[in-house]
Amino acid sequence: MDAQTALIESDIERYLELHQNKSLLRFITCGSVDDGKSTLIGRLLYESKSLLDDQLGALDADSKRYGTQGDALDFALLVDGLSAEREQGITIDVAYRFFSTEKRKFIVADTPGHEQYTRNMVTGASTADLAVILVDARKGILTQTRRHTYLASLVGIRRVVLAVNKLDLVDWSHGVFAGIERAYREFAARLGIAHVVAIPLSALRGDNIVEPSGNTPWYHGPSLLQHLEQVDVDAHAEAGPLRLPVQWVNRPDHNFRGFSGRLLGGRVKPGDAVRVLPSGRQSHVARIVTQDGDLAEAVSGQSVTLTLTDEIDVSRGDVICAADDPAGLADQFEAHLVWMAEQPLLPGRSYLVKLGASTVGASIGPPKYLIDVNTLEHLAAKTLQLNETGVCTLTLDRAIAFDPYAQSRDMGGFIVIDRLSHQTVGAGMLHFALRRSQNIHWQALEVDKPARRRMNGHAPCVLWFTGLSGSGKSTIANLVERRLHALGTRTYLLDGDNVRHGLSKDLGFTAADRVENIRRIGEVARLMVDAGLVVLTAFISPFRSERELARGMVEAGEFVEIFVDTPLAEVERRDPKGLYKKARQGELKNFTGIDSPYERPEAPELHVDTTRIDAEQAADAIVEYLAQRGIISATH
């Protein structure tokens, strides 16, 4: 019976007290396929006596059914929980396991080895303090060894254990071990990883996992578990400035108003001066409230509620900072980005970015460069594909509080979310705010949109005509403008073909170019609406996301989406410019409706079915709709 088990049986309260005060180490295991990651974790769970009797029974049964070790226990099965993993003998998902020893608590993430699961590896590494990089002694340093080391360094891991596994299969050769260690340290040094501990081991047999092995008399370092128990966990967050992102405004009654969240850095006491970002308002801490009563001081990692001495406006997503050392505030950044979606990054498309408790609109510029994670070479690229990593410019729709990722993972790490599907498509690390974001400010103007509206005698809006090429968008938009002009309405028509001669003459017809084209049109339309005009746009605009981007550029009620719905067979029959014929013959690539998708509007303000009404009738219906909405007056 070990000391931990004995204490549990003799004094459970004392054990729980000691257990609660143990330090926690989060680490990941990664490496190439079949390097033994899952076996290593299974062995750690077994040797640390973290398995219950029923788990051992299940492992024994599974080993006989799925195992690869004959009658012996197959420790990899403790981690490879998915049936697909057991059938293939590989790790696909990120598997998290908890275990503890007398000295420390651990959370370990077993991350996939295959390149196509790079995104899973980044997810597991994003909260880890240390990485255990496994290398098969027979194979040496592989592409995936370098890939995972680079990604670990990218997400801020600065401590690495180089676990040279399966050394029993090379007769416990010191020379093999030394050669692998030398090659790895050279690569790690290029990434700025200075803390590397190399350990020779056999995860299957248990050599150098818990106790030093007699098979490696030439090795005088710690076993893997000994090193994990004694390695220092960074405590730099407590030494840094106060950072508390507000998760919840706590208002149980009219007598109490507090701001709840977890301290990401620093420490705070009642009386401390604080600054709230992005507003910049200052106050002092009145109380530190917890469920167990008020605290005299709170430190990094604690979840608390702060009350302030002044009634200032604080909302979810704001960050309470030390008054004399606040976080940065910006809306444009250079950032590392790991792309995690099957569909490539479309520069200029509107995405959502979530950083801490803040979710803001964002667009991502074309990559400054793509990083070959095997050679660390910087490559030219126009986009990012699944599992690719690059450096991009990130532009947000409002300023946020931040610290560079190198200083704070929580204040500098973000995810990218698709606006329509709400799926996470990327993860990133902020490097620094762009200088231009600090130098450009909004200039207050005395003649504003309401003043222009009063002078014009009608409301401004965008009439956004969308549909397939040849559907009749431009014809109907032209008729509507003629009718509005006759009524004295101030208008301007932006036509898809016409802007290609000037504003967008540098763009082609790839998905990325289409996104940029619509972004430009949306910006021009927004300026025209601010000028008080009714602006008509006639573009295919095939992607819902970009139409929603354009909608979001103007105020609610100022965007009218008009779906000119003409079947593909009919527009091909018309084919006024011969474009469909060329597309069918393969002479015209990326043509909407043929080899490029058109995403039909799901809830347009107006649906024009051209199989039921002609262009004149459609124009009359649109003008009548504008009069009913009060945008124009029929007698204007």
Side-chain angles (χ1 to χ4, degrees), residues 19 34 65 90 198 455 468-469 522 525 540 556 560:
H19 184 76
D34 292 331
R65 182 178 179 184
I90 62 171
M455 185 181 73
L468 292 172
S469 177
I540 297 174
V560 179

Side-chain angles (χ1 to χ4, degrees), residues 243-260:
R243 300 288 186 265
L244 188 143
V246 177
Q247 294 280 352
W248 176 43
V249 178
N250 187 349
R251 193 73 185 268
D253 55 57
H254 67 279
N255 293 318
F256 184 89
R257 184 166 179 259
F259 310 105
S260 304

Side-chain angles (χ1 to χ4, degrees), residues 297-368:
E297 183 180 49
V299 299
S300 176
Q302 289 183 287
S303 295
V304 296
T305 296
L306 301 184
T307 65
L308 305 180
T309 57
D310 302 286
E311 286 290 334
I312 62 175
D313 184 24
V314 182
S315 303
R316 171 178 165 82
D318 290 353
V319 180
I320 299 176
C321 305
D324 58 352
D325 195 357
L329 190 66
D331 60 4
Q332 289 184 304
F333 304 91
E334 180 182 278
H336 251 107
L337 186 63
V338 180
W339 197 247
M340 299 179 169
E342 298 287 345
Q343 296 298 319
L345 164 71
L346 288 179
R349 167 167 284 185
S350 179
Y351 295 96
L352 295 175
V353 160
K354 181 173 176 57
L355 191 156
S358 297
T359 301
V360 297
S363 64
I364 303 169
K368 294 183 176 180

Side-chain angles (χ1 to χ4, degrees), residues 154-168:
L154 182 64
V155 298
I157 294 176
R158 290 293 177 264
R159 287 179 170 80
V160 169
V161 172
L162 175 64
V164 183
N165 193 25
K166 303 184 181 182
L167 210 64
D168 53 314

Side-chain angles (χ1 to χ4, degrees), residues 220-273:
H220 305 291
S223 70
L224 176 61
L225 188 58
Q226 288 172 341
H227 177 68
L228 295 177
E229 285 182 326
Q230 66 190 21
V231 65
D232 287 335
V233 178
D234 280 339
H236 66 276
E238 285 190 24
L242 169 66
R243 300 288 186 265
L244 188 143
V246 177
Q247 294 280 352
W248 176 43
V249 178
N250 187 349
R251 193 73 185 268
D253 55 57
H254 67 279
N255 293 318
F256 184 89
R257 184 166 179 259
F259 310 105
S260 304
R262 183 172 68 90
L263 268 71
L264 302 182
R267 53 184 65 233
V268 63
K269 302 186 298 295
D272 285 353

Side-chain angles (χ1 to χ4, degrees), residues 168 172 200-215:
D168 53 314
W172 305 101
L201 52 83
S202 170
L204 183 62
R205 298 176 49 160
D207 293 84
N208 286 328
I209 300 295
V210 176
E211 300 292 340
S213 171
N215 290 315

Side-chain angles (χ1 to χ4, degrees), residues 332 379 402 590:
Q332 289 184 304
L379 307 174
F402 80 101
N590 301 315

Side-chain angles (χ1 to χ4, degrees), residues 357-388:
S358 297
T359 301
V360 297
S363 64
I364 303 169
K368 294 183 176 180
Y369 54 84
L370 174 71
I371 301 169
D372 184 328
V373 298
N374 305 316
T375 65
L376 305 184
E377 183 182 2
H378 293 180
L379 307 174
K382 293 183 178 181
T383 185
L384 294 178
Q385 304 287 342
L386 174 65
N387 292 326
E388 288 185 337

